[in-house]
Amino acid sequence: MSVVPADPKLCPPLSVVDLFTIGIGPSSSHTVGPMRAACAFAVMALEKGTPTGILCELYGSLALTGKGHGTDIAVMLGLGGWLPEKVDPAATPQMIAHIREVNTLLLGGKAEIAFDPSKDIKFHKGKFLPGHANAVRFTARYADRSEVAQTYFSIGGGAILAKGQAPVVSNATVKYPFTSGAELLAIGREHLLSIADIVWANEETWRAKSETVEFIDSVRAAMMASIDAGCRAEGELPGGLKVRRRAKALHLKLLARGPRTEPSQVFEWVSLYALCVNEENAAGGRVVTAPTNGAAGILPAVLKYYETFIGTATAEGSRTFLMAASAIGFLYRSRASISAAEMGCQGEVGVACSMAAAGLAAALGGTNEQIENAAEIGMEHNLGLTCDPIGGLVQIPCIERNTMGAVKAINAAYLALQGDGKHIVSLDAVIETMRQTGNDMRSKYKETSLGGLAVNVVEC
């Protein structure tokens, strides 16, 4: 399946709340999206009455790596009326165990129905539906033998689209609309605005600036909380690969070294920050989709680097970081895709690296041209990155890949800041190259666990 270039005239304006969501791991496309789809279907099914049963059928990447990504768990929680931002990760194991024990669930949190996960969730491995590589179909059956059915596509970053329904197009008109990096730079030059200021102004289309500040601060707080949680946790990650959590032990070792004087220690700390977040994600913990769960550790790690190692760091600088990063994320969302099932890991880790590089360059006072250059460098050296998780789990190589992406983002930012913003490859060109590369990439390298490390490393 190919991703067609976006028509700028048809792209609704995106908001920071579309890009950053606080949810649970391990995957935005395989966990967050299906949970939202299941919750939406529960509402639809109950409008007709109480079903006698519900069948959930998973296709494409959701079927091939759904077990390792917790898609079956997400579906059960969603049918139970839970949304990713509301459910308590610590309570989910008990809720799922109860459903499996009694073979019933409380549909939409209101009506008890028969539901046997072993029979009512089907993984159609090897079958893809037209529309998107991540597809789930729900069918509700009623006592009068009638049915209600709906197919949903999980299109990346936790966003979903119901089959047969056109994407919701906002009627909002932002103050400074942009659909390309070139337009973004032109707006900045014409109005003497930074990239972050352009996003701040556009967000006022939907809410007061104080509310956007509150949202961005909550995103930052959730990112820092996921780092803190990862530093405290230990033991094995779920899923059967017997991957041990390393963040706590690494944190203690780094603390024991004392003052951070050696340059190499900076990168060890940055790697630790990313490790913390992605171990939390792999364990089904609370993380920020930024812009996906599989790449959730990169922006928090680079932001933590800014706040910890830059002596002039401020709260306003952290907000600038996230707002500038958002502008870059909007371009990838509208002109290509952030779904690994369509783009491979370049669409997740590559995009997060590009966003983080831009955010750091902005927080460090870079010009718009330097910020755009940083974003371009961050993606240029992730082009062709495949998504080949071993065992369908967001663990190997995903966790370490976030540490690499974070360090690469910092390097990209400083490279850009050393120049004057002039460069040969534009951000628009690299986004289009990513899209074309994703289209050319064979499906076995796009979150199916049918190629790459997934088949060349023997599972433990």
Side-chain angles (χ1 to χ4, degrees):
M1 178 182 304
S2 64
V3 180
V4 298
D7 182 347
K9 295 180 181 178
L10 300 178
C11 292
L14 292 169
S15 167
V16 291
V17 301
D18 299 316
L19 200 63
F20 298 127
T21 57
I22 301 171
I24 63 170
S27 170
S28 49
S29 59
H30 286 59
T31 310
V32 176
M35 191 186 303
R36 287 177 174 157
C39 190
F41 184 74
V43 174
M44 178 187 294
L46 287 171
E47 289 177 350
K48 181 177 171 60
T50 302
T52 57
I54 286 181
L55 175 65
C56 169
E57 298 174 276
L58 302 168
Y59 296 89
S61 179
L62 293 187
L64 289 164
T65 59
K67 279 286 186 181
H69 285 58
T71 305
D72 51 344
I73 293 172
V75 164
M76 285 185 271
L77 292 172
L79 289 175
W82 290 102
L83 287 169
E85 55 269 27
K86 298 294 184 182
V87 69
D88 179 4
T92 57
Q94 185 177 352
M95 289 190 282
I96 296 303
H98 178 73
I99 293 172
R100 287 176 169 155
E101 180 182 353
V102 300
N103 286 332
T104 64
L105 63 77
L106 200 61
L107 186 65
K110 298 177 180 178
E112 187 172 77
I113 65 168
F115 190 84
D116 182 348
S118 64
K119 297 178 181 178
D120 295 328
I121 301 179
K122 296 188 179 299
F123 293 81
H124 295 298
K125 295 184 177 181
K127 293 184 179 180
F128 289 78
L129 297 185
H132 197 278
N134 294 329
V136 55
R137 179 176 175 81
F138 297 99
T139 304
R141 303 177 295 269
Y142 297 86
D144 62 1
R145 297 187 179 181
S146 63
E147 294 183 346
V148 170
Q150 181 63 59
T151 299
Y152 297 88
F153 301 111
S154 181
I155 60 176
I160 60 171
L161 181 63
K163 182 180 179 181
Q165 297 178 1
V168 177
V169 178
S170 172
N171 291 323
T173 302
V174 297
K175 189 172 183 179
Y176 302 111
F178 63 89
T179 57
S180 69
E183 290 178 355
L184 188 59
L185 292 176
I187 292 168
R189 286 191 292 266
E190 180 181 354
H191 298 281
L192 301 179
L193 293 172
S194 70
I195 288 175
D197 285 339
I198 292 170
V199 179
W200 280 116
N202 287 347
E203 290 299 313
E204 292 190 43
T205 301
W206 295 284
R207 71 196 75 82
K209 183 174 180 178
S210 60
E211 294 178 26
T212 302
V213 170
E214 183 179 359
F215 172 77
I216 285 295
D217 286 351
S218 72
V219 166
R220 180 223 162 259
M223 287 179 170
M224 297 304 115
S226 63
I227 292 175
D228 292 342
C231 280
R232 295 191 301 268
E234 55 188 341
E236 284 187 1
L237 294 171
L241 286 182
K242 298 182 180 180
V243 174
R244 294 195 61 80
R245 298 180 71 140
R246 292 175 285 173
K248 181 177 179 178
L250 177 57
H251 185 221
L252 293 174
K253 287 181 180 179
L254 290 175
L255 287 175
R257 289 186 186 178
R260 304 162 190 174
T261 55
E262 296 180 16
S264 64
Q265 283 187 268
V266 174
F267 295 106
E268 290 184 89
W269 279 98
V270 171
S271 293
L272 167 67
Y273 303 148
L275 201 68
C276 286
V277 176
N278 285 88
E279 286 183 350
E280 276 297 291
N281 179 64
R286 180 78 66 202
V287 297
V288 177
T289 302
T292 67
N293 281 31
I298 295 174
L299 265 79
V302 179
L303 181 58
K304 181 74 170 177
Y305 161 81
Y306 165 74
E307 295 184 357
T308 304
F309 291 96
I310 304 301
T312 56
T314 63
E316 191 58 37
S318 294
R319 294 174 188 137
T320 295
F321 178 108
L322 291 171
M323 297 303 272
S326 297
I328 306 306
F330 296 159
L331 295 178
Y332 284 101
R333 278 278 298 265
S334 62
R335 301 189 71 85
S337 172
I338 59 171
S339 168
E342 291 184 301
M343 293 288 106
C345 201
Q346 60 173 358
E348 295 203 23
V349 163
V351 172
C353 178
S354 182
M355 291 171 61
L360 180 59
L364 293 176
T367 65
N368 287 353
E369 287 74 19
Q370 289 172 322
I371 294 166
E372 184 261 0
N373 190 14
E376 181 275 323
I377 295 171
M379 173 53 74
E380 185 177 344
H381 303 288
N382 278 294
L383 289 173
L385 192 60
T386 60
C387 182
D388 48 358
I390 296 174
L393 297 164
V394 190
Q395 297 178 15
I396 304 173
C398 318
I399 295 173
E400 287 183 356
R401 191 166 281 173
N402 275 256
T403 70
M404 299 296 106
V407 172
K408 190 178 291 186
I410 295 171
N411 192 25
Y414 282 112
L415 278 173
L417 290 172
Q418 290 302 316
D420 60 4
K422 295 178 182 178
H423 53 110
I424 294 174
V425 180
S426 69
L427 176 59
D428 293 332
V430 87
I431 292 176
E432 175 58 17
T433 303
M434 185 200 80
R435 186 193 67 80
Q436 293 176 5
T437 303
N439 284 347
D440 292 340
M441 192 181 291
R442 294 176 64 180
S443 63
K444 70 178 183 178
Y445 297 116
K446 295 192 282 189
E447 209 170 9
T448 60
S449 286
L450 297 176
L453 288 176
V455 299
N456 287 308
V457 177
V458 178
E459 294 182 33
C460 300

